[in-house]
């Protein structure tokens, strides 16, 4: 909602400070001083946005915490986490997202004859652009500048027709940012990608919310164990921010690594999801 968005904009610098200094375990006063607010106000502001305290958030984004999750996943992902991903009333959205690849003609001709609706929205992690064809969501990206956001979308489908319109497909997709996933509708994606890219993106959908995995693990999941570099490239070309959770893929050492929409945002999402998942347990 709007308040989440405002809070994120105000505390992004705090998240960046925490991300860059977590090894020193900065206390509340140090983080608050960095963004020039009182410790009391910062504690309230941060908890409103993240649903947890700065101290707990710091735990969720630490390398040691990430390593523990990765170690646990090595034993469980193949058997359990990749099967259902359900936990009580907290429906993990990944199972309710279906991918359909574009036809070879649509892929080759830059979207000729495709009619694409697009709109701008707020999220807990900043402004986004979301776009859809008649079959599903084809693009979503974090971007504060609406002019640049539209240009980036048009560059993906240079021959398509574009209309600024919020449709039901987009509305369903935006429900993903609600705190309660229990009534989340099915989300359909209509993606322009190679067969290999589609396989990688489908594998990403199987990483449960609040969990993390590595590039090597995704390569094994799609039965291409020596293709970690190619997997990384496919992850880096993910056309649908957050819905396809490439932010849940980190380096084997436990460090978060890069993210096309910014390292601070990736850290924020991982910590936010950790807080939501633990609150639902």
């Amino acid at each position: 909602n709007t308040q989440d968005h405002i809070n994120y904009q105000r505390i992004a610098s705090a998240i960046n400070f925490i991300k860059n200094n977590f090894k020193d375990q900065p206390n509340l006063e140090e983080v608050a001083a960095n963004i020039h607010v009182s410790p009391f106000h910062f504690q309230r502001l941060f908890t409103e946005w993240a649903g947890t305290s700065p101290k707990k958030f710091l735990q969720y984004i630490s390398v040691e915490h990430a390593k523990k999750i990765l170690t646990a996943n090595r034993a469980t992902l193949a058997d359990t986490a990749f099967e259902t991903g359900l936990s009580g009333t907290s429906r993990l959205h990944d199972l309710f997202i279906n991918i359909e690849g574009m036809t070879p003609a649509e892929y080759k001709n830059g979207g000729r004859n495709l009619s694409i609706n697009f709109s701008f929205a707020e999220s807990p992690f900043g402004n986004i652009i979301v776009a859809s064809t008649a079959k599903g969501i084809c693009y979503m990206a974090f971007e504060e500048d609406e002019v640049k956001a539209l240009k980036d979308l048009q560059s993906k489908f240079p021959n398509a027709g574009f209309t600024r319109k919020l449709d039901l497909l987009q509305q369903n997709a935006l429900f993903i940012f609600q705190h309660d996933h229990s009534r989340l509708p099915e989300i359909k994606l209509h993606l322009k990608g190679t067969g290999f890219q589609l396989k990688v993106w489908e594998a990403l959908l199987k990483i449960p919310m609040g969990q993390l995995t590595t590039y090597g693990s995704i390569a094994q999941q799609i039965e291409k164990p020596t293709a970690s570099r190619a997997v990384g490239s496919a992850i880096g070309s993910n056309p649908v921010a957050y819905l396809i959770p490439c932010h849940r893929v980190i380096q084997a050492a436990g460090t978060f690594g890069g993210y096309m929409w910014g390292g601070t945002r990736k850290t924020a999402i991982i910590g936010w999801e950790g807080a939501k998942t633990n609150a639902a347990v």
Side-chain angles (χ1 to χ4, degrees), residues 94-157:
D94 315 274
L95 298 181
F96 301 90
I97 299 178
N98 293 317
I99 290 179
E100 178 175 337
M102 293 191 176
T103 66
E106 290 168 332
Y107 182 90
K108 290 179 182 178
N109 64 22
R112 188 177 295 117
N113 299 324
L114 275 181
S115 295
I116 295 178
N117 293 333
F118 70 92
S119 62
F120 301 99
E122 296 174 345
S123 84
F125 315 108
N127 289 339
I128 57 175
I129 182 172
V130 57
S132 56
T133 70
K135 294 182 179 179
I137 301 299
C138 62
Y139 183 79
M140 192 158 89
F142 295 105
E143 178 56 64
E144 299 299 321
D145 184 337
E146 290 190 359
V147 174
K148 183 178 184 302
L150 180 55
K151 285 183 178 178
D152 289 345
L153 167 62
Q154 290 171 329
S155 71
K156 299 286 186 182
F157 304 95

Side-chain angles (χ1 to χ4, degrees), residues 1-113:
N1 60 35
T2 300
Q3 191 59 49
D4 278 347
H5 171 73
I6 293 172
N7 285 351
Y8 174 72
Q9 293 299 97
R10 295 177 68 185
I11 65 177
S13 59
I15 293 171
N16 192 49
F17 179 80
I18 292 172
K19 177 176 73 79
N20 291 332
N21 296 278
F22 68 84
K23 290 181 180 178
D24 298 326
Q25 295 290 298
N27 60 33
L28 183 68
E29 288 74 17
E30 290 171 323
V31 181
N34 183 259
I35 63 169
H36 311 293
V37 298
S38 72
F40 174 80
H41 181 64
F42 173 65
Q43 174 93 7
R44 186 178 65 181
L45 179 69
F46 195 97
T47 304
E48 283 178 0
W49 176 82
T52 192
S53 67
K55 183 177 180 179
K56 199 71 175 176
F57 183 89
L58 185 63
Q59 173 194 329
Y60 294 141
I61 65 168
S62 74
V63 170
E64 292 308 311
H65 183 67
K67 284 180 179 178
K68 288 178 183 177
I69 294 176
L70 292 176
T71 300
N73 283 355
R74 288 190 186 101
T76 62
L77 275 181
D79 299 322
T80 57
F82 277 97
E83 289 178 7
T84 62
L86 292 177
S87 176
T89 59
S90 177
R91 280 173 58 178
L92 297 174
H93 63 263
D94 315 274
L95 298 181
F96 301 90
I97 299 178
N98 293 317
I99 290 179
E100 178 175 337
M102 293 191 176
T103 66
E106 290 168 332
Y107 182 90
K108 290 179 182 178
N109 64 22
R112 188 177 295 117
N113 299 324

Side-chain angles (χ1 to χ4, degrees), residues 223-246:
E223 299 181 347
K224 300 283 185 182
T226 62
S228 291
R229 188 178 296 273
V231 164
S233 178
I235 290 172
S237 60
N238 172 21
V240 182
Y242 195 77
L243 294 179
I244 298 178
C246 58

